[in-house]
């Protein structure tokens, strides 16, 4: 597997600035995480944008779709804010021959108890195993792009029929 | 997915006793990890043994095989020491209708930089996506049970043909 | 040493809410931290308020002063936001017979790389060793309350004469 | 304060080798920890030995005493295994004009829940505050070298009279 990773921002990359008493989207963390985990496969990382997914526009999604289509790799991992993840997943459907998995985190990767590294693991496990298509890997589950919603009140992802 | 988890010991569960200046295999950590990660699917945890995998015998492997066959769940995750993981994976082949993934850690889950939670994520992502069979999820890759070795010198898992 | 701890909020207690893509001051973390560190001395924890220290008023500082005076313990540890820490330290001067140390964190205690536990350690080491007075323990140094400033641009505490 | 740090090994520096399923004393971690904590004062680090303190001899203690006497700094921090820490502290008494604090950890610094960074904080807070002498900072307390024991059964340090 040669993997292409597109980072777009979101909670997973949030860091804390004390001077402003504020969180901001920082540099993508996934490259460092994968290195620390000792992965052996080849991967490239492309930072497409650094946005809270609530602020994502149709133009942003078109840009992400272009990036996913144009990269030469068959396997594409996208790190993304959780609020707009389902909308982006749907905007990525019907790209022939590619297996695309979106993931992110409900707690910033910088937190000791973050779900980031688990979700990335889950996404990478799914990428190697799924037929071409678009999937979301969150809360330990691998959802089809058109069968998942974020339950905002409960702060988790759920299959559409169980929502 | 309803998941059955069989824990057998290994580095992933190692803890440190200062009084003896020594480590020991402790209680299985996976239940607590999955809870912290906010997984929504149902799972059960069965502690089959607490062994360094270097000490595993054929009888131990027979016991693990029985546990994997007899549980009612179709999806089985096994946490295991890394040294004997490939041998156990091979002893589990040809169980009809079950998707079995073995994983573990090169650094104890108690370490801040452990690969445990990433490997478990990778195993869970693969479990939901693979056809029935036996797999090993380590170093970010999902290997077929009969096509993987542990490269002890480099301390990582590799596909058989690249070893 | 019997220690009284007054918590007031600040970065040290900040947690992250994904639903709002925002952080908030959460419950005080110090009790759990001290337990995890295996301290043997007796201590009590009083949550005086949960505020960003930029929002602290003279009335808040009067309340903290009252709490520090009225507790029966001679040793008082105050966890506090970093922006208003120096102002609060000065408002606590001239309480006879008490050794008071303020500390906090530049990164929330929930972050893997937080300075919280180090700063609390430093404060507790100073508390047992200093004569009565008011001190700030930050960045590995124990400052007299009237000889310290926060260098906001550099995001650290410095002795007044070196600023 | 200009601080000299002498590292001697012990649990604080233990790392895990999967290949041997064993812990070993690794490179001293304190320099990296202090950098991460954002300390502003100057310090130098000297690795005197890398030993489990159970293996320390009189010759080792003489070497540590020489290092503490000969360094030009007035403040000396020694990281040390916990089993022989009290014996070394006693071997360091009566060095005129120096404030020496020994500390270590009951859990390796590499563990997420280690007491290492807290103990180092406590030692550094005490160093700046105590008169010349030899002290042990463990379990959140600063003990005089001649009034402390390690309670091995309970795995903690205690004042001699309370033991």
């Amino acid at each position: 597997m040669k993997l292409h990773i597109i980072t777009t921002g979101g909670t997973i990359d949030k860091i804390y600035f004390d001077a402003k008493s504020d969180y901001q989207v920082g540099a993508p963390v996934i490259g460092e995480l994968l290195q620390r985990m000792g992965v052996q496969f080849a991967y490239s990382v492309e930072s497409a944008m650094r946005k809270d997914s609530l602020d994502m526009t149709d133009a942003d999604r078109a840009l992400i779709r272009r990036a996913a289509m144009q990269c030469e790799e068959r396997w594409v991992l996208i790190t993304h804010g959780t609020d707009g993840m389902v909308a982006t997943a749907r905007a990525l459907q019907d790209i022939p021959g590619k297996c695309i998995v979106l993931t992110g985190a409900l707690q910033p990767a910088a937190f000791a108890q973050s779900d980031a590294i688990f979700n990335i693991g889950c996404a990478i496990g799914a990428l190697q195993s799924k037929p071409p298509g678009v999937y979301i890997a969150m809360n330990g589950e691998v959802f089809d792009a058109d069968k998942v919603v974020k339950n905002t009140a409960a702060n988790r992802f759920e299959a559409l029929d169980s929502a």
Side-chain angles (χ1 to χ4, degrees), chain A:
Chain A
M1 179 174 69
K2 185 169 182 325
L3 178 65
H4 188 59
I5 302 169
I6 302 171
T7 67
T8 69
T11 295
I12 192 171
D13 285 332
K14 281 202 180 146
I15 52 177
Y16 184 78
F17 286 103
D18 185 64
K20 305 171 204 167
S21 283
D22 203 5
Y23 283 101
Q24 295 202 352
V25 177
V29 296
I30 192 166
E32 192 203 322
L33 289 181
L34 291 181
Q35 207 169 355
R36 229 171 64 201
M37 292 305 115
V39 304
Q40 301 301 318
F41 55 76
Y43 61 89
S44 48
V45 181
E46 169 185 2
S47 174
M49 66 201 66
R50 288 195 194 180
K51 285 206 169 182
D52 242 311
S53 65
L54 287 168
D55 301 329
M56 268 200 191
T57 63
D58 287 351
D60 292 325
R61 294 199 163 90
L63 188 155
I64 296 170
R65 185 178 168 94
R66 251 191 328 272
M69 288 183 73
Q70 288 173 355
C71 67
E72 62 183 18
E73 291 86 354
R74 188 186 151 181
W75 293 278
V76 182
L77 174 64
I78 301 176
T79 62
H80 200 284
T82 58
D83 288 308
M85 193 187 287
V86 171
T88 300
R90 287 177 191 163
L92 291 170
Q93 289 185 297
D94 306 315
I95 300 180
K98 299 251 177 175
C99 184
I100 300 172
V101 180
L102 294 91
T103 194
L106 297 166
Q107 292 285 316
F111 274 63
Q113 306 284 329
S114 173
D115 53 332
I117 198 75
F118 175 72
N119 294 344
I120 291 170
C122 197
I124 287 176
L127 266 169
Q128 297 166 63
S129 313
K130 283 283 192 189
V134 184
Y135 308 92
I136 282 181
M138 287 293 295
N139 292 103
E141 280 177 81
V142 185
F143 303 97
D144 288 332
D146 54 2
K147 292 183 188 147
V148 60
V149 289
K150 182 178 174 189
N151 178 334
T152 307
N155 201 21
R156 65 177 181 235
F157 286 74
E158 296 175 348
L160 244 188
D161 43 41
S162 77

